[in-house]
Amino acid sequence: METTSRTPETVALREDAPAPATGTVRRAASSVRDSGRQQVTRMQESVRRQPRRWAGASTGVVALVAAVAGAVVWQRNRRQPVGRGARAWQAVTSRFGR
C-alpha cells in the first residue's frame, strides 16, 4: 500500500489539479459544440438536397405516434362499457364484488 506525504509540493500539485482539468473540460465542451454545429449544418444540407426522404421519414414518425396513441385509446375503451346501463351495472357489481 502506498502512502502519500503531505509536503508543500504535493499540496501545491493537488491544488493546481483543478485548473488543468477545467481547461480540459472547456476544450472538450468546445469540441462538442463544434461537432454539434457541424452535424446541424450537415443535416440542414441533407434536408435541402433530399426533401422527399426527410418528409417521408417525418410522415412515418407521425404515423407511428398516431398509431400508438390510437392503440392506447382503443385498449382503454375496451375495458370500459359503452352504454349507460352497462356502466351502471359494472359500478354496482364491482362495488359488491370485492
Side-chain angles (χ1 to χ4, degrees):
M1 199 156 80
E2 201 175 301
T3 60
T4 58
S5 61
R6 296 190 50 85
T7 63
E9 293 82 20
T10 58
V11 172
L13 285 174
R14 288 183 189 153
E15 290 174 355
D16 290 343
T22 303
T24 303
V25 169
R26 285 185 183 155
R27 282 191 299 275
S30 176
S31 173
V32 168
R33 266 195 308 272
D34 292 343
S35 68
R37 288 182 187 137
Q38 289 175 355
Q39 291 294 334
V40 167
T41 303
R42 288 183 196 145
M43 177 80 83
Q44 288 173 343
E45 190 174 323
S46 175
V47 169
R48 186 182 55 76
R49 279 186 284 129
Q50 301 168 345
R52 287 184 185 155
R53 176 182 287 179
W54 287 99
S58 301
T59 303
V61 169
V62 169
L64 178 66
V65 169
V68 168
V72 168
V73 170
W74 178 71
Q75 283 288 338
R76 191 178 324 140
N77 286 340
R78 280 190 50 184
R79 288 189 216 120
Q80 297 175 350
V82 178
R84 182 183 298 167
R87 278 196 302 268
W89 178 253
Q90 184 183 22
V92 168
T93 57
S94 68
R95 180 172 297 176
F96 295 111
R98 290 184 216 170

